[in-house]
Amino acid sequence: MKRVHWKEASLVILSAFFLLHLAACNRDGSGGDVMASVNGRKIYRSEVDKYFANQTAGSDQQPAGEQAISLRLSILDTLIETEILMRRADKLGLLATDEEVDRKLNEMKSPFTAEQFNKRLEEKKLTVDDFKRDLKRSLTRDKVLNKEITSRINITDQDGGLLQRPQV
C-alpha cells in the first residue's frame, strides 16, 4: 500500500516540478510564460490557462492540486501534439481553408440564434476567433487523419468476407 502512495506522490512532485521549472526557465520578452516550444512556435501558459478555464467552465467542483496539475499537463500535451499535426498538415497541403472553417462554423451556428450561440461561447470562455482557430485545427486534423490512415487501408474481396455476418 505504501508503494502506491509513493508512486502517486512522486507523480505529483514530478508534475509540479515540471510546471515550476518551465515557468521559471521560460519567460519571453513580454513576460509571458513559455511552457513549450514546437518548431519555434511557443505555447504560453495563458493558452493552457484558457483551455483549462474552457474545460472546467460550468463545473460545480473545480479541479485542485494533483487533478489541476494533471489536467494542465494533459492540455499542454494536446497543444504540443496539435502543433506537430498542424506542421504536418502544412507540409502535406492539408490545412483547412478559411472557407471550410466558415462553412463549418455556419453549420454549427444554424440551430441557434446569434445571441444563443454567443452565450454558449461566453459560457465556455471562448471568443469567436478562439472557436474558429479550434475549428480550423479540428478540420485540419480530420483531413490529415483521412489522408494518412485512409490511404493505407486496402480491403480486398478476401477481407470483405470477414465483414459478413456469420450464418446461424
Side-chain angles (χ1 to χ4, degrees), residues 49-58 121 123-126:
D49 289 344
K50 183 178 270 194
Y51 281 99
F52 182 87
N54 172 267
Q55 289 186 21
T56 58
L121 288 179
E123 288 169 357
K124 287 292 191 177
K125 302 186 187 312
L126 289 174

Side-chain angles (χ1 to χ4, degrees), residues 64-77:
E66 181 182 342
Q67 285 181 328
I69 291 170
S70 180
L71 179 56
R72 287 181 191 283
L73 287 174
S74 177
I75 291 167
L76 179 60
D77 184 52

Side-chain angles (χ1 to χ4, degrees), residues 28-119:
D28 73 345
S30 66
D33 293 333
V34 176
M35 295 188 75
S37 181
V38 181
N39 295 326
R41 193 244 184 218
K42 295 175 181 176
I43 299 172
Y44 294 96
R45 176 179 302 282
S46 60
E47 188 175 2
V48 172
D49 289 344
K50 183 178 270 194
Y51 281 99
F52 182 87
N54 172 267
Q55 289 186 21
T56 58
S59 176
D60 293 339
Q61 191 173 11
Q62 294 292 310
E66 181 182 342
Q67 285 181 328
I69 291 170
S70 180
L71 179 56
R72 287 181 191 283
L73 287 174
S74 177
I75 291 167
L76 179 60
D77 184 52
T78 299
L79 290 172
I80 290 168
E81 288 177 9
T82 299
E83 186 59 31
I84 291 168
L85 185 87
M86 295 299 283
R87 295 294 172 130
R88 176 86 174 135
D90 190 28
K91 287 181 182 178
L92 294 171
L94 295 173
L95 287 174
T97 64
D98 290 341
E99 293 80 24
E100 290 169 323
V101 172
D102 289 340
R103 189 172 34 245
K104 186 66 174 177
L105 177 63
N106 288 331
E107 180 185 315
M108 295 176 84
K109 286 171 63 172
S110 67
F112 306 100
T113 65
E115 184 179 297
Q116 290 171 326
F117 188 77
N118 290 334
K119 184 174 179 178

Side-chain angles (χ1 to χ4, degrees), residues 145-156 159-160 163:
L145 292 177
N146 284 335
K147 169 85 173 157
E148 294 289 313
I149 294 172
T150 307
S151 67
R152 289 179 170 78
I153 297 174
N154 183 21
I155 299 177
T156 64
D159 295 332
L163 299 175

Side-chain angles (χ1 to χ4, degrees), residues 12-23 35-36 73 76 80:
V12 171
I13 291 168
L14 182 62
S15 297
F17 176 75
F18 177 71
L19 288 174
L20 290 173
H21 178 72
L22 284 172
M35 295 188 75
L73 287 174
L76 179 60
I80 290 168

